[in-house]
Every structure is written in C-alpha cells, then in structure tokens.
Amino acid sequence: MLPPQIPAIHFNVDNLKVLVYDDRNQAGRAAAAAVAHAIVQRQKVAGRANVIFAAAPSQDDFLADLIAANGVDWSRVSGFHMDEYLGLTPEHPASFRRYLHEHLFDRVGLNDDSLRLIPGERTERPSQVCLEYEDRLLGEPTDVVCAGIGENGHLAFNDPPVADFLDPLLVKVVRLDQACRVQQVNDGCFEKLDDVPTHAFTLTVPALLRAPVVSVVAVGPRKAEAVQATLRGPISEACPATALRRHSGATLYLDRDSAKFVL
C-alpha cells in the first residue's frame, strides 16, 4: 500500500471531512491510499468491490497513485464511470471511457468483463440507455465513488441548472451548463466551445451518494471558487457539491491552491 500522507490542515464541514495538502501530488496520493484501503476492505467482506470513477485531468495524479497501490486485487473490481458525452464513441479523444482506459483500466488489466461503461454513442434511445445503466447500478451497488468537483460546483454532469438532490432517477441525460462546457475547453479536452457536446449522460447526485465511501479530489487554483462555495455556501443545488456535506462517508482532498479561499 501507499505510505500515509499527513495533511497540512484538516477539518470538518457538517459531515464532510476536508483534508488540505501542500500540493496536488500529496492530495492525490492521500486519496489513492484511502480508496485503495476501502477497496481492499470491501473485497475482504464481499469478494468484489464496485467502484465509480471520474474522468478529468484533475484525477491524473490520483489515478496514477491508485495504480501504485499494490494491495488492490484489480481482478475483483467492477469499474463504473459517472458520466459520458451524448454522441461520442469510445475512441473519441474526449471520451471519458477513453480517458479511463488510458489512465487506469488498461494499466491495471480491467477488461470488458469487469467494466460497466455508459455507451455514449447510443443516441437513438438515450432514455433506454439510462434505464439499462440504472439496472446495472442496482444490481451491483456501489461501494466507492472517486469523484471531482467542477468549476461550477458540479458533481459528475449535475450542473446547477439540472442538479436535483432528491432526483428519483439514478441516471439521466442532461443539457450541459455553459460554464461546464467552457471548462472542457480550458481542460484541453476540446479545441473550441463549438466542439463540446451540448448533452451528456450522468449519474445523478443521489446515485453518487448511495455509496458508503465517497472520495473527492479537487485541486488547482481554478477549483478554488467552487471549493469555497462547497464549504462556505448554503447546501443547495446552486452548488451541487454542497450535497457532500450531508454524507458521513465523504472526504474532500484539496491542495493549497484549491483551498486558498477557505483557509
């Protein structure tokens, strides 16, 4: 397993545990160690662990360190992901499935038998895709969620205009907020705004918070305002990440850049 990382600062906001590290590398390493431990413990109890992964540049360090966590038996992990653009094939450079294959799945030997991924290219009946993926989530209840926070405070693609803390659905198609689409360009996923899809599949906020362990990595100065809203603002869909404050198993991993407005 990875060596323990000692946070520079730690505190709680409601039920949410907040850990602040000196830099993004330490934050990612700490999150990876905790997630690896959670996976191993679940495998000891149930034989397998069902894990949902986010796909974004902010997850790069975390995923690299998770791969280095030698205690995880990846042959007994079922890998889910939390969102995918409507209309993108898995080969598209900006596909979240491609990102996760390149940054995690292919590197630890997770193959199609162990992966449950959203087929974003199925545009003819997207509501059917949502129901099928919901059935997968219900059949294999989530043990661990590995998430991030968007610059507009979103969790997965639950942007403020479409987030619903009491959503009856586990998976839905949403229209992406302008700020969210701009972030995809800033992250280097698309060359220009017109290239960013307008709609996507996403797991809802209740779907993500069903897991007993929720690990959230939010690093870098561009996340500072969203982190401030998450920790200091009211709990509401105006900043979807505030829902984390109601979850006793959620931990937020920050670096000093992302935490600069809350320290």
Side-chain angles (χ1 to χ4, degrees), residues 26 57 64 67-68 80 83 85 89 91 93 109 112 118 130 165 169 182 195 204-205 208 217-218 241:
Q26 291 181 25
I67 292 168
F80 292 74
D83 44 17
Y85 295 106
T89 66
E91 296 79 25
D112 290 343
I118 302 170
C130 294
F165 290 172
L169 302 174
V182 169
D195 294 336
T204 61
V205 173
L208 297 172
V217 177

Side-chain angles (χ1 to χ4, degrees), residues 11 20 218 220 223-224 227 254-263:
F11 55 93
V20 182
K223 299 297 178 74
V227 167
L254 307 174
D255 63 359
R256 288 191 179 274
D257 286 337
S258 61
K260 63 183 180 180
F261 295 143
V262 297
L263 297 181

Side-chain angles (χ1 to χ4, degrees), residues 32 47 58 103 110 127 175 182 194 214:
S58 63
H103 287 81
L110 279 178
S127 59
R175 183 176 182 85
V182 169
D194 288 345
V214 179

Side-chain angles (χ1 to χ4, degrees), residues 4-257:
Q5 301 296 303
I6 307 301
I9 301 168
H10 60 90
F11 55 93
N12 281 54
V13 178
D14 299 319
N15 291 325
L16 176 62
K17 185 178 181 180
V18 183
L19 304 177
V20 182
Y21 294 84
D22 287 331
D23 58 48
R24 63 186 299 147
N25 293 328
Q26 291 181 25
R29 198 171 302 124
V35 166
H37 177 76
I39 292 173
V40 169
Q41 293 304 115
R42 184 57 183 165
Q43 289 175 335
K44 288 179 180 178
V45 173
R48 294 189 65 82
N50 304 319
V51 187
I52 296 173
F53 296 98
S58 63
Q59 305 301 300
D60 289 356
D61 294 323
F62 160 69
L63 292 176
D65 285 316
L66 185 59
I67 292 168
N70 296 325
V72 175
D73 181 353
W74 289 101
S75 69
R76 294 190 290 134
V77 171
S78 295
F80 292 74
H81 71 148
M82 60 182 59
D83 44 17
E84 183 59 278
Y85 295 106
L86 180 66
L88 293 197
T89 66
E91 296 79 25
H92 191 284
S95 164
F96 292 149
R97 286 166 289 174
R98 176 169 176 167
Y99 172 93
L100 287 171
H101 270 289
E102 292 178 349
H103 287 81
L104 179 65
F105 298 155
D106 292 348
R107 298 174 65 183
V108 297
L110 279 178
N111 56 34
D112 290 343
D113 291 338
S114 298
L115 297 177
R116 292 83 170 97
L117 305 180
I118 302 170
E121 69 278 7
R122 286 180 53 188
T123 59
E124 71 283 357
R125 296 180 66 192
S127 59
Q128 184 65 33
V129 174
C130 294
L131 291 173
E132 291 172 1
Y133 206 70
E134 181 169 300
D135 284 343
R136 282 187 173 272
L137 291 168
L138 292 172
E140 299 176 87
T142 308
D143 299 307
V144 182
V145 166
C146 305
I149 296 176
E151 292 176 24
N152 64 353
H154 71 208
L155 291 176
F157 272 141
N158 296 285
D159 293 329
V162 298
D164 183 352
F165 290 172
L166 299 177
D167 207 315
L169 302 174
L170 297 184
V171 189
K172 64 184 180 182
V173 174
V174 295
R175 183 176 182 85
L176 299 179
D177 188 34
Q178 180 81 351
C180 173
R181 296 177 68 231
V182 169
Q183 179 182 333
Q184 310 313 310
V185 177
N186 293 339
D187 282 347
C189 301
F190 297 90
E191 288 189 9
K192 57 184 185 300
L193 186 61
D194 288 345
D195 294 336
V196 184
T198 58
H199 291 75
F201 294 98
T202 187
L203 273 63
T204 61
V205 173
L208 297 172
L209 299 189
R210 287 162 63 94
V213 177
V214 179
S215 169
V216 185
V217 177
V219 293
R222 284 169 41 202
K223 299 297 178 74
E225 291 185 2
V227 167
Q228 180 184 35
T230 298
L231 300 181
R232 301 298 185 229
I235 298 177
S236 78
E237 285 91 346
C239 178
T242 57
L244 296 167
R245 287 160 47 189
R246 294 175 171 167
H247 194 299
S248 59
T251 303
L252 178 59
Y253 297 87
L254 307 174
D255 63 359
R256 288 191 179 274
D257 286 337

